[in-house]
Amino acid sequence: MDTGTSKGHFIETIIKQDVENNKNNGAVVTRFPPEPNGFLHIGHAKSICLNFNMAKKFNGKCNLRFDDSNPAKEKQIYIDSIKETVTWLGFKYGEPFFASDYFDRLHEFAVELIQKGKAYVCSLKADEIREYRGTLTEPGKNSPFRDRSVEENLDLFSRMKNGEFGEGEHTLRAKIDMQSPNINLRDPIIYRVKNAIHPRTGDQWCIYPMYDFTHCLSDALEGITHSLCSLEFEDHRPLYDWILDTLETPCHPQQIEFARMNINYTVLSKRKLQRLITDNHVQGWDDPRLPTLEGMKRRGYTPESIRSFCNTIGVSKKESRIDVGLLESCLRDNLNERAPRVMGVLKPLKITLENYPDDLTEELTAKNHPQKEEMGARTITFSKHIYVEQDDFMEDPPKKFFRLGPGREVRLRYAYLVTCKDVVKDKSGKVTELICTYDPETKGGNAPDGRKVKGTIHWVNADDCIDAEIRNYDRLFKDENPEKDGRDFIDNLNPESLVTLTDCKLEKSLENAVPEQVVQFERLGYFCLDSKDGTSNHPVFNRTVTLRDAWAKLARKK
Ligand code: ATP
Ligand code: MG
């Protein structure tokens, strides 16, 4: 499968040079290293595309590695979901790797550090460690336990491992430099006691390695050549290099940082997404309004559109906020090509064709795609009673309203020209039905006398249409930056991010709809069957995206 080619960027330039210089014998091995403490979001897609594409481009390989060294927050369901999502995005990996598979090796490395006099067991409490660490402007102070002998450290560390101490009583720290201007080098903790059941190693361990220790060594053990990570790890690079320089490791991967993806009108952080879910602002990790890949999949996003977006935005060292309009435009481009056209009426208004025979049902042919003959055609039915959109009728329309109004004629897509003769109203004065006539000479939509009818509207046959619920999604937040001026993003939620329409009428062919396979409802937008809610009698469809960007139009008006 074509997973897209990235635009040339600085990381590609570095890797290309390394290959040309035969560094690592010309090999390129990258990895995507999620922590299984949540579901993947579109930001992760950037990292996935980057790592897999670089491997592909230079005939290398990319590992999927679970960075599962913090058992408190990690769960099997996240591991399963992440595997599925990477595959769904279109990338192939061999057997996945797990940092927890290296726990024995990491433990040996920790012992090696102690033996080299480069690590010590510290018995300061957490708040004391913090106090001794100093600040950005003040240097730290040495721990009183810093000069413990190698023997004492080995003994204490092995007792930590054997479960003789409680959480927080002792930690293992790298012995680097408490005066370093880089706080990450001020004797960072590399192992701590944690009495937790690990999803994969169970109760085998009660000490766990910290992220910074685990990550560089896992990279080295897997023979990673280029360890691509986001910018917040730039200040951790000296520690990454210190650990690999100090220990005897199979290789020394090169860490290269790039800017995280940010998108406007949303938040991209598992912690923030978790809060939206826990506080019931959305309905779960796969809520179609969320930027999680599971949510986007359920909403109807295609892997191609997400890859194309990631490749379009490129990779740089500069943080920026990307317009969600660009993501939607990548989606529209892809759906326009592949989505079959169908008809659905969101807010139905009944029409009775008074001159149409009572029990006639005609079969009409409708193209599945206006430009793509190869997508074929389907049969739709037509009868005396049909539904059109309430918005396609006005009782007192302006001149340029080329739809229905008293005395006005329109074309029903693929069917006939019809003219509105009368309206039926309920007691409150609301129009409940239109009485129209059809012109039997105009089958297919053209008048033999050549009279011009400008408007074409969509419709469904009232006799055999399907009742459905439609969920119209909009941006989750009202402002481009939901956290502008330090405010809480919860206060910026868009109350209209979900508008549910319960009385929709869809053409019969949608009985065969498949979840997540997007169709275009002509004139309205792209929609797909929801994979979770609804029944076969009353399906639920999600609006994936509108046909045009309504927000861009609003912005132009401002
Ligand atoms: P979050 O803050 O959402 O929890 P994370 O970085 O902690 O994200 P990880 O599971 O550790 O999540 O991420 C796996 C990989 O994905 C890392 O290499 C990380 O740098 C990358 N990544 C995460 N978010 C983004 C983003 N918004 N843009 C680019 N890469 C990202
Ligand atoms: Mg994280």
Side-chain angles (χ1 to χ4, degrees):
M1 185 194 301
D2 179 19
T3 45
T5 43
S6 51
K7 285 198 280 187
H9 48 68
F10 77 100
I11 295 185
E12 189 173 328
T13 309
I14 296 173
I15 300 181
K16 188 161 178 265
Q17 269 168 11
D18 288 347
V19 171
E20 279 166 8
N21 296 335
N22 209 30
K23 190 175 166 188
N24 309 303
N25 295 321
V28 173
V29 185
T30 58
R31 86 285 170 269
F32 170 63
E35 183 180 355
N37 62 351
F39 297 87
L40 298 180
H41 52 65
I42 178 88
H44 291 111
K46 174 173 177 175
S47 175
I48 298 172
C49 290
L50 172 64
N51 280 293
F52 279 91
N53 284 340
M54 285 302 96
K56 186 174 127 195
K57 182 143 201 164
F58 296 98
N59 296 317
K61 70 167 189 151
C62 177
N63 294 349
L64 170 62
R65 182 206 312 142
F66 291 96
D67 225 320
D68 59 345
S69 54
N70 183 5
K73 294 185 288 173
E74 296 159 2
K75 296 204 176 90
Q76 186 62 38
I77 48 162
Y78 300 136
I79 296 178
D80 296 339
S81 161
I82 290 170
K83 283 194 215 166
E84 256 181 57
T85 303
V86 174
T87 304
W88 175 76
L89 263 184
F91 296 102
K92 288 203 177 66
Y93 50 88
E95 272 303 300
F97 292 79
F98 292 87
S100 56
D101 285 347
Y102 310 134
F103 280 170
D104 283 316
R105 303 288 302 274
L106 294 171
H107 176 259
E108 285 165 22
F109 279 126
V111 170
E112 186 186 331
L113 270 191
I114 296 174
Q115 283 163 340
K116 290 190 153 138
K118 297 289 186 185
Y120 61 96
V121 173
C122 181
S123 309
L124 291 176
K125 299 286 162 287
D127 51 341
E128 293 169 322
I129 292 188
R130 210 171 304 124
E131 197 189 307
Y132 274 70
R133 189 178 291 133
T135 62
L136 282 174
T137 50
E138 288 164 62
K141 288 188 296 191
N142 284 357
S143 159
F145 304 100
R146 202 172 197 259
D147 294 319
R148 275 178 166 151
S149 67
V150 169
E151 289 67 35
E152 191 182 359
N153 283 322
L154 287 173
D155 174 59
L156 283 169
F157 188 51
S158 103
R159 288 165 60 194
M160 278 170 72
K161 177 173 178 266
N162 294 339
E164 288 183 34
F165 305 118
E167 291 186 8
E169 272 185 72
H170 304 284
T171 52
L172 183 70
R173 298 177 68 177
K175 196 171 185 174
I176 311 181
D177 179 7
M178 288 306 290
Q179 266 79 51
S180 170
N182 183 340
I183 292 189
N184 294 299
L185 293 180
R186 294 184 191 167
D187 292 7
I189 298 174
I190 55 176
Y191 258 95
R192 71 224 190 279
V193 174
K194 195 154 202 122
N195 293 309
I197 302 292
H198 188 281
R200 301 186 78 248
T201 57
D203 62 359
Q204 194 188 338
W205 294 89
C206 62
I207 53 169
Y208 288 95
M210 301 298 285
Y211 174 85
D212 280 323
F213 189 67
T214 310
H215 197 83
C216 55
L217 290 169
S218 306
D219 280 351
L221 290 172
E222 286 173 23
I224 301 298
T225 56
H226 299 84
S227 177
L228 314 179
C229 64
S230 33
L231 227 41
E232 71 270 23
F233 291 102
E234 196 165 22
D235 290 345
H236 296 238
R237 182 163 18 105
L239 177 55
Y240 185 104
D241 289 333
W242 182 90
I243 295 171
L244 296 183
D245 286 339
T246 309
L247 290 164
E248 305 291 323
T249 57
C251 67
H252 189 139
Q254 180 185 0
Q255 173 176 313
I256 309 172
E257 307 85 17
F258 63 93
R260 288 173 87 89
M261 174 197 289
N262 299 300
I263 300 186
N264 61 10
Y265 297 100
T266 194
V267 289
L268 286 186
S269 137
K270 279 180 271 188
R271 190 174 47 79
K272 291 173 194 163
L273 296 172
Q274 180 73 66
R275 195 170 147 218
L276 289 168
I277 295 155
T278 315
D279 297 352
N280 289 316
H281 298 294
V282 295
Q283 272 137 29
W285 280 102
D286 60 355
D287 188 299
R289 288 168 289 181
L290 289 181
T292 54
L293 294 169
E294 290 217 18
M296 293 172 74
K297 174 175 175 221
R298 185 171 165 198
R299 167 116 169 220
Y301 270 83
T302 56
E304 291 83 353
S305 62
I306 294 172
R307 295 198 305 259
S308 145
F309 172 67
C310 290
N311 293 333
T312 306
I313 61 171
V315 180
S316 84
K317 275 245 180 222
K318 214 172 128 253
E319 290 275 349
S320 64
R321 193 181 297 278
I322 294 154
D323 188 359
V324 66
L326 179 62
L327 174 62
E328 290 172 351
S329 128
C330 291
L331 177 62
R332 283 191 193 96
D333 285 350
N334 185 243
L335 294 179
N336 180 40
E337 289 287 311
R338 64 190 287 162
R341 274 52 170 171
V342 293
M343 291 197 285
V345 171
L346 303 196
K347 292 183 192 159
L349 173 60
K350 192 169 179 183
I351 287 189
T352 297
L353 299 169
E354 58 178 3
N355 61 336
Y356 196 87
D358 279 348
D359 28 71
L360 178 64
T361 297
E362 281 180 271
E363 294 195 334
L364 308 171
T365 301
K367 277 191 191 178
N368 292 334
H369 195 287
Q371 286 92 35
K372 300 195 167 208
E373 292 296 329
E374 69 275 19
M375 283 177 69
R378 68 196 184 283
T379 300
I380 53 175
T381 61
F382 189 77
S383 75
K384 189 175 181 79
H385 301 288
I386 58 173
Y387 291 111
V388 297
E389 223 45 85
Q390 286 169 19
D391 289 349
D392 282 335
F393 170 79
M394 277 179 86
E395 213 176 347
D396 190 13
K399 205 155 176 265
K400 293 223 154 141
F401 185 78
F402 299 116
R403 293 177 257 172
L404 279 169
R408 300 224 179 163
E409 186 172 41
V410 291
R411 178 179 302 102
L412 294 178
R413 182 89 162 129
Y414 307 113
Y416 291 99
L417 297 178
V418 300
T419 305
C420 177
K421 295 293 183 189
D422 204 358
V423 301
V424 181
K425 295 182 182 177
D426 65 10
K427 277 192 223 118
S428 69
K430 184 173 175 259
V431 175
T432 54
E433 188 179 339
L434 303 181
I435 308 297
C436 299
T437 54
Y438 88 113
D439 179 349
E441 302 299 314
T442 60
K443 190 166 180 177
N446 289 314
D449 64 2
R451 72 183 183 273
K452 290 274 175 288
V453 174
K454 263 204 160 154
T456 301
I457 64 174
H458 60 275
W459 55 276
V460 295
N461 181 359
D463 284 351
D464 64 5
C465 64
I466 308 167
D467 290 317
E469 172 180 320
I470 296 224
R471 296 179 182 166
N472 279 340
Y473 298 106
D474 202 345
R475 299 184 176 173
L476 190 49
F477 295 97
K478 287 183 289 193
D479 283 303
E480 176 164 19
N481 177 1
E483 295 181 286
K484 197 165 106 196
D485 305 327
R487 73 185 158 195
D488 186 353
F489 60 93
I490 298 291
D491 298 333
N492 193 248
L493 283 163
N494 174 7
E496 284 164 22
S497 63
L498 167 60
V499 175
T500 303
L501 302 170
T502 49
D503 180 31
C504 309
K505 310 282 183 189
L506 310 180
E507 68 168 65
K508 192 172 161 55
S509 74
L510 285 164
E511 269 175 353
N512 304 320
V514 174
E516 290 145 23
Q517 270 181 22
V518 181
V519 293
Q520 185 194 97
F521 289 4
E522 293 203 35
R523 298 175 68 225
L524 297 176
Y526 296 97
F527 295 78
C528 68
L529 183 66
D530 189 72
S531 52
K532 259 195 174 166
D533 298 340
T535 61
S536 54
N537 288 339
H538 202 81
V540 170
F541 280 77
N542 296 316
R543 182 171 73 194
T544 309
V545 68
T546 53
L547 288 182
R548 260 172 287 281
D549 186 352
W551 287 67
K553 207 162 122 196
L554 271 182
R556 276 200 299 275
K557 270 192 193 155
K558 266 185 201 164

